[in-house]
Amino acid sequence: MDEMLRKNSVLHVEDVYKSYDSKLILDDIDLSVTSGEFVTIVGPSGCGKSTLLRLVVGQEKPSKGSILIDGVLAGPPTPDRGVVYQNYSLFPHLSALDNVTLSKRLALLPWQWNSHKKAIYEEGLHYLSKVNMDGHASKYPAELSGGQRQRVAIAQALIQKPKILCMDEPFSALDPGTREDLQLFLLELWEETKMTIFFVTHDLEEAVYLGTRLIALSQYYTDDRDQDMARGAKIVVDRRFRDPKEAISPQVKSSGQFVKAVHELRQHAFDPEYLQHVKNFDLSHPNSWATLNNGEIRDRA
């Protein structure tokens, strides 16, 4: 791979495998993400989407291979990798403001809180305003709608000023209208902050709509290895669906180009009858790369 790409990547995943006992989940994953990309990750059930996210966050370790954050080997979870989950990560007994600022408070010694309280609350209100929730700062989670709780959860992650914002199916529990509102909100927030987002979803339309770069993992493919050899999911699609500078609205979902992209993605990653050979994966993104060993591609001459 290009050494310059490795140096310029905020996230660099190289030759990563992940197994649980004897079951191989991720099979030689190579991925480099540069600062400011909005990367959506999609794939069929059981392909390891959330597993890959947990490896990036540091909640789990790869069985083999390396994961670097800004060129440094990733360790246990740190504030440079913010996380927003499907189930709201809010404490029910704390207000929205206290939930957002909790990490800042916990970083202090008990006797330091009074002298830092005003500044920390001001910072918390700043991030609540970024997600249009500053008017609800004193409310508790039970007093907020599902969409409002996810906005607070996003502010909770943003206050840590992460290098990468990791999101694990954050909108899947919401009704369709709220979900679309949050999708548009997240795009506007991304355009404003230019932060790096790593977004896992099971929804094909959501993946195509949100991502400037779309990655599909799948266990449905073929290679030249022996049939009885264990296989896990690989990146079968890594491509750019839209220009990062392109303004986008929900109306794009009805366009022919959008519908075609969703169809191609469903075929290439989700159809167990459509088994692409590893040589034919759509790895057309400028920063895409993959290493294949001699067993996966044999000389057929």
Side-chain angles (χ1 to χ4, degrees):
M1 67 155 298
D2 188 343
E3 187 63 29
M4 187 61 67
L5 178 59
R6 184 204 298 264
K7 291 180 179 179
N8 292 336
S9 297
V10 63
L11 169 65
H12 181 82
V13 179
E14 186 167 354
D15 297 335
V16 162
Y17 295 77
K18 182 62 181 178
S19 299
Y20 296 105
D21 296 324
S22 60
K23 184 174 178 59
L24 181 61
I25 304 298
L26 297 176
D27 193 341
D28 200 359
I29 303 298
D30 296 315
L31 174 63
S32 288
V33 177
T34 56
S35 180
E37 287 192 274
F38 196 136
V39 182
T40 50
I41 313 291
V42 73
S45 177
C47 73
K49 302 183 298 294
S50 293
T51 297
L52 178 58
L53 184 137
R54 289 194 297 271
L55 293 175
V56 171
V57 171
Q59 294 171 333
E60 298 188 32
K61 294 181 179 180
S63 303
K64 182 181 176 183
S66 61
I67 298 177
L68 307 178
I69 305 294
D70 271 352
V72 178
L73 197 63
T78 54
D80 60 1
R81 289 159 286 174
V83 192
V84 179
Y85 296 103
Q86 174 184 345
N87 297 317
Y88 324 110
S89 54
L90 304 181
F91 290 98
H93 63 290
L94 297 179
S95 68
L97 181 58
D98 283 326
N99 265 291
V100 169
T101 56
L102 181 61
S103 61
K104 295 285 185 177
R105 181 169 186 168
L106 293 177
L108 299 174
L109 295 171
W111 57 85
Q112 294 177 312
W113 171 239
N114 285 336
S115 59
H116 291 80
K117 180 177 179 179
K118 180 179 179 182
I120 289 175
Y121 275 161
E122 287 176 353
E123 186 178 11
L125 286 170
H126 167 74
Y127 281 99
L128 281 172
S129 70
K130 278 190 172 296
V131 299
N132 299 320
M133 286 295 294
D134 47 320
H136 303 274
S138 62
K139 291 183 179 179
Y140 291 86
E143 301 175 284
L144 303 174
S145 68
Q148 289 173 329
R149 290 197 292 272
Q150 276 303 51
R151 287 174 182 254
V152 174
I154 292 171
Q156 189 181 55
L158 291 180
I159 199 171
Q160 295 289 338
K161 302 178 180 66
K163 295 175 181 176
I164 306 173
L165 179 61
C166 298
M167 310 186 80
D168 192 2
E169 302 194 23
F171 305 149
S172 61
L174 304 176
D175 64 80
T178 302
R179 185 171 190 155
E180 189 167 89
D181 288 343
L182 266 291
Q183 289 171 352
L184 189 58
F185 154 74
L186 185 60
L187 281 173
E188 291 171 347
L189 182 66
W190 172 77
E191 288 172 354
E192 175 192 346
T193 61
K194 302 304 180 188
M195 59 186 170
T196 307
I197 298 180
F198 200 73
F199 187 104
V200 168
T201 179
H202 67 274
D203 187 289
L204 292 176
E205 286 195 355
E206 183 169 70
V208 175
Y209 177 59
L210 290 177
T212 59
R213 178 179 181 180
L214 191 144
I215 290 172
L217 288 169
S218 182
Q219 61 272 53
Y220 305 134
Y221 64 89
T222 62
D223 56 37
D224 296 339
R225 290 179 286 184
D226 294 336
Q227 292 302 311
D228 59 352
M229 181 171 286
R231 289 170 173 79
K234 287 183 175 290
I235 293 176
V236 301
V237 175
D238 183 358
R239 61 177 290 193
R240 176 181 288 165
F241 273 100
R242 64 180 176 87
D243 190 302
K245 298 179 181 178
E246 177 185 353
I248 192 165
S249 70
Q251 283 71 39
V252 74
K253 295 179 182 180
S254 61
S255 71
Q257 183 180 6
F258 187 93
V259 173
K260 180 183 177 183
V262 171
H263 172 75
E264 290 176 348
L265 190 60
R266 180 174 289 111
Q267 182 182 50
H268 290 180
F270 286 77
D271 186 352
E273 302 298 321
Y274 186 82
L275 300 177
Q276 296 181 93
H277 193 274
V278 290
K279 294 191 304 183
N280 300 322
F281 292 164
D282 179 2
L283 306 181
S284 57
H285 190 277
N287 292 340
S288 182
W289 58 284
T291 55
L292 297 172
N293 62 51
N294 292 333
E296 291 171 304
I297 298 182
R298 295 175 183 170
D299 185 359
R300 300 184 179 186

